[in-house]
Amino acid sequence: MTPDSAVRPPLDRSRLADGNPELMPDLTVEVVDALESTNVEVARRAQDGASDGLVVVADHQTAGRGRLDRTWETPPGTAVTFSILLRPEVPARLWPWLPLLTGYAVDKAITAAGLDAGVKWPNDVLVGEKKVAGILVERVDTPQGPAAIVGVGINVGLTADELPVDTATSLEIELDRTVDRTDVLVEVLNAIREAVDAWEMGGEPSSVRLHESYAAACVTVGRDVRVDLPDGSVLEGRAVEIDASGQLVVAVGGTDGERRAVAAGDVVHVRTA
Ligand code: BT5
């Protein structure tokens, strides 16, 4: 049965208001009915001086953005789409961890909901082979210094007919039950804030822990992959590990062959190893 989008409930704004004990204190959530893209909106707010921890949630996003000018599409009332403004006090060389730790936090929250989720490097969250959540982290320069816009889109209530591409899935399809979008939002916001705080408090032990946790959650390791690199070239081989700086290490020409560490790229899982 296809749910009627008209009867899909809106996000519960009372649970997202300041001071709600369910939410970690250093988050300020604003909910809007509809917006083109929460990343664009939060980037604008960052330029205007907004503080770390601002979250803009769109009940519906009309021009959601993916990476590399791709689009992110979800019908009204079916998704969780938001962006968080962060002003991380960590050295710039560590910023590449931010999209990875966001993917890890979203994966953790989805796993806690009872699904066998995993992170496809760098930061897609999959259930089985299908994408349930996408993440777009952008760096913007602001008068107060560099800021990160962490955008997350999670497919919650999309039916099979509503999936924009056949590589997508939703929480309701996978769990075969109704899922409350506000529950998902609260869970994921807290997971991201917690992961970011631990990372920002920094130090060697926290980076080692993050590296280990991410590598354990990353379903790309052990797979044969094709990686489209930013310079237009293509790398094919077996993904063998995530290195200490979060790069994907690919063995080309067999597991004893040359190893290439990839910092950015689009990965296709070719087949199960
Ligand atoms: C992403 O890009 O996966 C990042 C998506 C980030 C979306 C959030 S929503 C809140 C915030 N505000 C924004 O404007 N964006 C962020 P990428 O890896 O480039 O994947 C994009 C591709 O995924 C598209 O080209 C489609 O093939 C596919 N796609 C589009 N919508 C999808 C969906 N709802 N579920 C799964 N796949 C989708």
Side-chain angles (χ1 to χ4, degrees):
M1 191 179 72
T2 304
D4 177 354
S5 59
V7 301
R8 284 172 161 149
L11 290 162
D12 180 349
R13 292 169 193 238
S14 66
R15 288 179 60 198
L16 301 165
D18 275 358
N20 184 330
E22 271 188 290
L23 268 182
M24 289 181 67
D26 37 10
L27 292 167
T28 303
V29 183
E30 296 180 12
V31 186
V32 289
D33 289 337
L35 201 59
E36 287 186 3
S37 156
T38 56
N39 263 41
V40 171
E41 175 63 17
V42 171
R44 194 177 300 134
R45 301 284 294 274
Q47 307 283 4
D48 290 345
S51 305
D52 180 280
L54 169 71
V55 180
V56 174
V57 184
D59 215 340
H60 178 50
Q61 210 175 216
T62 55
R65 297 174 48 214
R67 295 177 302 146
L68 307 170
D69 289 332
R70 292 187 289 238
T71 56
W72 186 258
E73 296 162 48
T74 37
T78 64
V80 161
T81 47
F82 65 90
S83 302
I84 308 182
L85 168 59
L86 296 173
R87 297 186 180 277
E89 291 179 7
V90 298
R93 69 183 163 80
L94 296 175
W95 281 42
W97 273 108
L98 202 46
L100 304 180
L101 78 83
T102 304
Y104 171 66
V106 173
D107 169 56
K108 222 167 99 175
I110 290 176
T111 302
L115 286 172
D116 185 13
V119 190
K120 176 175 156 225
W121 187 90
N123 56 10
D124 286 350
V125 180
L126 306 185
V127 177
E129 295 294 314
K130 304 258 172 118
K131 182 161 165 174
V132 74
I135 291 159
L136 175 65
V137 178
E138 297 176 292
R139 184 191 148 115
V140 293
D141 288 315
T142 76
Q144 293 75 24
I149 315 300
V150 176
V152 178
I154 305 171
N155 298 333
V156 179
L158 289 86
T159 61
D161 290 347
E162 291 172 322
L163 297 172
V165 287
D166 62 9
T167 49
T169 190
S170 74
L171 297 180
E172 290 197 357
I173 291 172
E174 297 297 331
L175 287 163
D176 199 21
R177 63 171 167 83
T178 312
V179 177
D180 182 304
R181 286 188 299 145
T182 313
D183 284 347
V184 175
L185 177 60
V186 167
E187 198 62 42
V188 168
L189 283 175
N190 286 338
I192 295 176
R193 184 79 251 187
E194 204 174 286
V196 169
D197 288 351
W199 173 67
E200 277 199 87
M201 277 188 275
E204 201 50 26
S206 109
S207 335
V208 170
R209 215 170 26 249
L210 172 58
H211 175 220
E212 283 172 358
S213 311
Y214 179 84
C218 181
V219 293
T220 304
V221 175
R223 302 290 302 256
D224 285 345
V225 292
R226 196 186 75 229
V227 190
D228 292 309
L229 297 169
D231 67 2
S233 64
V234 175
L235 190 69
E236 285 182 321
R238 169 81 48 90
V240 286
E241 63 168 338
I242 304 297
D243 74 13
S245 49
Q247 300 183 107
L248 180 70
V249 180
V250 179
V252 284
T255 39
D256 295 333
E258 184 202 346
R259 292 182 167 217
R260 296 260 310 268
V262 179
D266 257 346
V267 171
V268 177
H269 290 168
V270 179
R271 64 180 168 80
T272 309

